[in-house]
Structure formats: structure tokens, C-alpha cells
């Protein structure tokens, strides 16, 4: 009997969330949540251990009838594009629990239930091979994240949660309309693999392309539908910011990879220049906004807009280097920006301020912390030897091949990244010691170190030896490009 590995990965957090409902002791809740997320992570390691990198075909597939009258099935499967993000989601699950160990001191059970439910739904998005099932997971994600921001966030949490919900709901409604249109024009099926093989008229493809663009652009987020992101990040608790930046933003880029490129190849090729320009605008605009920030969380939030612009830039170069770089950079952004939000959260727990002006001389009182902060800042600016350098180099190489002006704009964004990150680090770690801070700050403890070290490990590993990660995505990327250029015409 074949073990339904993907179902176990998706629903282990959901079962854990249900079990937590019957636990009253907060300490037990924390340990149970940690145990569930670690178990899920172990299952993902087993999944990667059995993953065949030589094929683009979906693996570990499971299919069960769900609503036969409408052709809806419970179908799961992963390929080289989705596998890294299943792993990333599981990795950040237990890191988020550790990050919340002390920071969340009220309604602990409810928070951990929301966090585990969120993880299950995110995993479902990356594993779903039925379009209706995908939409259910995609839409249901709004609820636990809304609660995480709205209940456990900062003083402006209600406004931020409401804004997040409205923006993402509007995008989801456009996605639902697109799903319905695709169902009727694609042979009345929700099977994603079948829909990829359809040859839709250009007019239908164009309409669907913009419907999906609205939905995915909100999630990425792309300029000008990005304004919900800084508010959500600033108000969310540390774990919420980690999950939001490291996983939720990837959902939009993943939607382009899973739907727009393979299902709408002619429209993708036709509108690729538009997408490259929008991506370049996001890279530069996000960098300029980050440069102007005095709030640590806002700086990292606006940097996410710039870095995700780099991801969409890589995707819509529609060449091998750019596309592989975009996917690798999605993973890298999850690791690095998740680590930066974790770092901001750790120092905020000690000082209860996010203003860069309030800090100074942290190197003297928290040397271990500042070493890790330096590593993650250097990774975010794509220093050679770190993970982001590999992805950014591939994206820039693909961008210059696709459009010289867009490639130049991306380089400007990289220079802005160096400016705001080095400026932040100089003020926080190396600047004059803040008198008030000196007596409040202690260095990282063992629990915090356990959350930081895995992220630092991937920063260095991918930076020095990216081959295993590129091997996972190679076959699927080549097949995706064949789908785009085979049906959409050569670029």
C-alpha cells in the first residue's frame, strides 16, 4: 500500500490544530505545536529524499473523487517547482512556533491553532492539482492570517487586518471568476494537468491573464496593489510577519508559474514586456521606499516589494536563466526575509521599539545577534557567497538577455538594497551606543538560536553550493519553458 505522503504533510498540522483545541495548559500547547511542526518538517525531508530530479512529471500523486458531478477531485502532487516551497513552508512552521514561544503570552492555544491551520492551508496550495481544491486552500488562507494579524498584532492591528483581508479578497474574487471561465473553456474540468494541455484562443487567454494578474499581483504584491503589505507586516506578530513574507508572498509568484505560464502561453508571451516593466518599477520603487524608512519592520517590508519584483522579473524573462533564478530567488527570499523579520522580532521583544534611531552599539551588548543580523543583511543585498547572490545573478543574466533597460533598472534596485541595508546595520549595530538600550538588551538564548541557525545554514549552503537546489527545479523549468514557447511562440 502506497503511503499518502502529501496528504500526511498537508493534514498533519490540521490534525495537530484540532488536537490543541482540547488542551488547556499553555506550555503543553507550545510543546505540542512544536512537535507537530517538527513532525511535518521530517515528512517533508522524507518527501525530498524520494523526489526524482530527472523528471518534470508530478510525483507522489494522490487522486480521490470529491464532487464527481462537476469533475472535482481531491488530487495532490508536486513537481520541481512546488517541492521547494512545500519544504520551505514546513521549515518555517516550527521556526515560527519557536519565535512565538515568549512573544505570544495571551490566547496561546488560539494562536497556535491559527498558526497550524495556516500551515496546512499553505501546504495545500503548493500540493493541489485540482483547480477547485487549489482555490479552496487559497481562499481559506485568508482566515487564519486575518486572525493572526487582527488578534495578536500591534495597536493598529484591526485596520491592518481589515485592509489585508479586503485587498486579498478582491484578488481572490477575480481569481474565482477566472477559474469559472477556465473551467468552461478548458473542457469542463478542474484538473490542472489537463488544463495545461488545452489550447485556448488568444482572446480568452488575454482575459484570463489579466484576471489572474490581479489576483496574483495582490499576493506578490506588485505595485500599485502593494499598500496593504507594510501595514500588515508592521502590525503582525513576529511569526505572522515571517509567514507572510516567507510563504504568503510566494503564492502570487507560484500562481504565475502554475497557471499563467503553462495555461496561457500566448498571452504570457504577448504581455511579457508589460510584466517586465511592472517588475522593474517594483524593484526600484520598493528600494526607494525602504531607503526612506526609520522603522525596522517597514524597511524589511518595503524591501520585500523590491525583492519580489526581482522574482517576477525572472519569471517573465521567459528564458532558462531568468526563470530558474526567479524560482530560486523565491526560496531565497523566504529564507532571508523570514530571517530578517525574526531578527527584528527578537530585538523588539527586548526593547519594544522598532525605530532605527532608538538603537545603536548593539555589537557591544549583543555580539552574536549582530553577527547573524549582518549575515542576513548581506544575504538580502546579494553579497557573493550568500544564497541571494546565486538567484539574483541568474535573474539579472536572464533580464539583460530579455530587455536591456529592465536589466539596468534591476541593477539600480540592487544598489538601493545595499544602501538601505548597510545604512540600517551601521546605525543599529555599529553606531553610537544608546544609553537607554544598553541595560535592556541581552544576547540570543538557546531557543532563539535554534530558530536562527537553520536559516543561516541555508543562506550559506545555497550561496556556496546551489547545485542540489537547482537540480530539483531544472527539469520542471525546462518543461515549463517548452510549454510557453511551444504554444506561445518563440520570444
Amino acid at each position: 500500500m502506497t503511503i499518502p505522503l502529501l496528504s500526511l504533510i498537508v493534514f498533519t498540522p490540521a490534525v495537530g490544530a484540532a488536537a490543541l483545541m482540547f488542551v488547556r495548559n499553555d506550555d503543553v500547547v507550545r510543546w505540542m505545536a512544536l512537535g507537530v511542526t517538527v513532525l511535518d518538517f521530517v515528512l517533508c525531508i522524507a518527501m525530498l529524499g524520494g523526489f526524482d530530479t530527472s523528471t518534470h512529471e508530478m510525483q507522489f500523486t494522490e487522486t480521490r473523487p470529491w464532487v464527481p458531478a462537476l469533475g472535482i477531485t481531491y488530487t495532490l502532487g508536486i513537481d520541481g517547482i512546488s517541492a521547494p516551497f512545500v519544504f520551505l513552508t514546513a521549515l518555517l512552521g516550527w521556526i515560527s512556533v519557536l519565535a512565538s514561544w515568549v512573544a505570544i503570552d495571551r490566547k496561546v492555544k488560539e494562536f497556535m491553532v491559527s498558526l497550524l491551520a495556516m500551515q496546512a492551508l499553505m501546504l495545500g496550495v503548493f500540493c493541489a492539482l485540482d483547480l477547485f481544491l487549489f482555490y479552496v486552500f487559497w481562499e481559506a488562507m485568508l482566515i487564519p492570517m486575518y486572525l493572526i494579524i487582527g488578534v495578536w498584532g500591534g495597536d493598529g492591528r484591526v485596520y491592518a487586518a481589515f485592509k489585508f483581508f479586503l485587498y486579498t479578497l478582491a484578488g481572490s474574487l477575480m481569481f474565482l471568476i477566472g477559474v469559472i471561465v477556465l473551467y468552461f473553456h478548458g473542457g469542463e474540468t478542474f484538473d490542472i494537468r489537463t488544463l495545461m494541455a488545452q489550447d485556448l484562443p488568444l482572446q480568452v487567454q488575454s482575459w484570463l491573464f489579466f484576471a489572474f494578474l490581479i489576483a496574483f499581483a495582490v499576493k506578490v504584491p506588485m505595485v500599485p496593489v502593494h499598500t496593504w503589505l507594510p501595514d500588515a507586516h508592521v502590525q503582525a506578530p513576529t511569526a505572522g510577519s515571517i509567514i507572510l513574507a516567507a510563504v504568503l508572498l510566494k503564492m502570487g509568484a507560484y500562481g504565475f508559474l502554475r497557471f499563467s505560464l503553462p495555461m496561457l502561453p500566448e498571452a504570457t508571451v504577448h504581455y511579457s514586456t508589460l510584466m517586465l516593466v511592472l517588475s522593474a518599477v517594483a524593484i526600484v520603487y520598493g528600494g526607494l521606499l525602504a531607503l526612506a524608512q526609520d522603522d525596522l519592520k517597514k524597511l524589511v517590508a518595503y524591501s520585500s516589494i523590491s525583492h519580489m519584483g526581482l522574482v517576477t522579473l525572472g519569471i517573465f524573462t521567459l528564458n532558462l536563466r531568468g526563470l530558474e533564478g526567479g524560482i530560486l530567488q523565491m526560496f531565497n527570499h523566504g529564507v532571508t526575509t523570514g530571517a530578517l523579520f525574526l531578527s527584528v522580532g527578537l530585538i523588539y521583544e527586548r526593547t519594544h521599539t522598532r525605530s532605527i534611531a532608538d538603537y545603536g552599539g548593539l555589537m557591544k551588548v549583543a555580539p552574536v545577534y549582530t553577527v547573524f543580523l549582518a549575515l542576513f543583511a548581506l544575504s538580502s543585498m546579494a553579497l557573493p557567497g550568500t544564497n541571494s547572490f546565486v538567484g539574483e545573478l541568474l535573474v539579472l543574466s536572464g533580464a539583460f538577455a530579455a530587455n536591456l533597460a529592465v536589466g539596468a533598472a534591476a541593477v539600480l534596485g540592487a544598489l538601493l538594497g545595499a544602501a538601505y541595508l548597510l545604512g540600517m546595520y551601521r546605525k543599529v549595530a555599529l553606531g553610537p551606543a544608546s544609553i537607554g538600550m544598553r541595560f535592556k538588551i541581552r544576547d540570543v538564548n538557546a531557543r532563539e538560536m535554534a530558530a536562527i541557525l537553520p536559516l543561516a545554514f541555508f543562506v550559506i549552503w545555497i550561496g556556496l553550493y546551489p547545485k542540489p537546489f537547482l537540480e530539483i527545479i531544472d527539469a520542471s523549468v525546462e518543461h515549463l519553458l517548452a510549454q510557453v514557447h511551444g504554444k506561445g511562440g518563440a520570444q
Side-chain angles (χ1 to χ4, degrees):
M1 180 180 177
T2 304
I3 298 175
L5 184 58
L6 292 185
S7 288
L8 288 174
I9 289 172
V10 171
F11 290 105
T12 291
V15 172
L20 287 182
M21 297 295 290
F22 301 97
V23 181
R24 294 185 177 181
N25 185 282
D26 286 348
D27 289 332
V28 175
V29 166
R30 292 185 179 98
W31 282 106
M32 282 184 64
L34 181 62
V36 169
T37 49
V38 168
L39 173 60
D40 207 38
F41 181 61
V42 171
L43 291 171
C44 285
I45 293 175
M47 176 268 293
L48 283 183
F51 188 82
D52 183 1
T53 60
S54 65
T55 178
H56 67 269
E57 299 289 345
M58 294 293 175
Q59 301 178 45
F60 305 103
T61 53
E62 306 169 27
T63 301
R64 299 285 185 278
W66 189 12
V67 187
L70 295 177
I72 300 172
T73 61
Y74 169 81
T75 305
L76 302 180
I78 57 168
D79 62 358
I81 293 173
S82 54
F85 304 109
V86 173
F87 176 81
L88 178 66
T89 304
L91 170 68
L92 291 165
W94 60 269
I95 290 175
S96 296
V97 172
L98 288 176
S100 308
W101 206 268
V102 174
I104 302 300
D105 55 5
R106 61 184 180 87
K107 298 183 179 179
V108 175
K109 176 172 69 175
E110 290 81 358
F111 178 84
M112 292 300 177
V113 167
S114 299
L115 197 63
L116 291 177
M118 187 77 195
Q119 181 166 335
L121 294 169
M122 293 186 300
L123 289 166
V125 166
F126 290 124
C127 294
L129 289 183
D130 181 275
L131 191 52
F132 185 85
L133 180 66
F134 179 95
Y135 181 78
V136 170
F137 285 130
W138 172 279
E139 190 72 4
M141 284 190 305
L142 293 178
I143 300 170
M145 182 51 76
Y146 175 82
L147 293 175
I148 287 171
I149 298 172
V151 177
W152 293 277
D155 293 337
R157 59 185 180 273
V158 175
Y159 169 78
F162 193 61
K163 191 174 183 180
F164 160 78
F165 192 86
L166 283 181
Y167 267 74
T168 49
L169 180 62
S172 295
L173 289 175
M174 288 303 299
F175 185 50
L176 177 60
I177 295 171
V179 167
I180 295 171
V181 172
L182 190 59
Y183 172 77
F184 286 107
H185 282 273
E188 298 192 5
T189 179
F190 287 106
D191 185 82
I192 289 175
R193 290 168 294 183
T194 302
L195 290 170
M196 287 179 181
Q198 301 298 319
D199 189 9
L200 301 175
L202 178 58
Q203 184 178 3
V204 175
Q205 286 193 34
S206 297
W207 192 96
L208 286 170
F209 183 86
F210 283 101
F212 288 163
L213 172 59
I214 294 171
F216 302 149
V218 171
K219 273 281 200 300
V220 168
M222 299 179 73
V223 177
V225 289
H226 65 285
T227 57
W228 64 268
L229 181 67
D231 293 313
H233 270 314
V234 169
Q235 298 302 326
T238 299
S241 292
I242 292 172
I243 294 298
L244 187 61
V247 184
L248 247 69
L249 302 192
K250 310 302 173 292
M251 301 296 184
Y254 180 75
F256 288 128
L257 293 166
R258 186 58 80 213
F259 301 106
S260 300
L261 269 65
M263 295 183 186
L264 316 170
E266 290 182 73
T268 296
V269 171
H270 188 71
Y271 297 110
S272 61
T273 302
L274 169 65
M275 298 304 296
L276 292 176
V277 171
L278 289 175
S279 300
V281 169
I283 292 169
V284 176
Y285 184 64
L288 289 171
L289 289 174
L291 192 61
Q293 300 307 312
D294 182 55
D295 184 297
L296 277 171
K297 253 193 172 184
K298 280 189 176 181
L299 185 149
V300 180
Y302 281 116
S303 77
S304 286
I305 296 172
S306 182
H307 290 138
M308 288 305 296
L310 200 67
V311 167
T312 53
L313 176 65
I315 290 172
F316 285 97
T317 60
L318 304 182
N319 57 51
L320 183 62
R321 285 170 295 178
L323 191 52
E324 283 198 343
I327 295 171
L328 182 61
Q329 201 62 1
M330 285 169 66
F331 187 90
N332 290 337
H333 179 266
V335 170
T336 300
T337 306
L340 283 172
F341 275 117
L342 174 61
S343 300
V344 172
L346 295 182
I347 203 68
Y348 178 77
E349 289 175 22
R350 291 156 168 76
T351 63
H352 300 290
T353 178
R354 292 187 301 266
S355 175
I356 295 174
D358 291 338
Y359 293 98
L362 278 183
M363 179 67 79
K364 297 178 181 178
V365 293
V368 176
Y369 171 85
T370 50
V371 167
F372 282 111
L373 181 63
L375 175 65
F376 299 137
L378 292 172
S379 169
S380 187
M381 70 177 76
L383 187 80
T386 64
N387 58 338
S388 298
F389 173 75
V390 182
E392 194 163 310
L393 181 64
L394 288 168
V395 170
L396 290 176
S397 176
F400 276 109
N403 188 299
L404 187 63
V406 168
V411 171
L412 175 59
L415 293 175
L416 288 170
Y420 61 72
L421 287 164
L422 288 175
M424 176 273 292
Y425 189 79
R426 179 183 61 82
K427 293 176 183 177
V428 170
L430 306 176
S434 171
I435 296 174
M437 294 294 118
R438 188 175 297 174
F439 303 102
K440 299 178 182 179
I441 297 175
R442 56 174 173 77
D443 218 333
V444 292
N445 58 33
R447 171 185 58 83
E448 294 164 339
M449 187 69 77
I452 292 174
L453 277 176
L455 299 174
F457 172 75
F458 282 104
V459 166
I460 296 170
W461 182 15
I462 300 174
L464 298 179
Y465 188 57
K467 183 181 177 182
F469 299 88
L470 292 172
E471 283 180 341
I472 291 173
I473 66 177
D474 268 341
S476 295
V477 169
E478 289 175 0
H479 177 68
L480 179 58
L481 284 173
Q483 287 178 297
V484 172
H485 293 307
K487 292 190 288 185
Q491 173 101 319

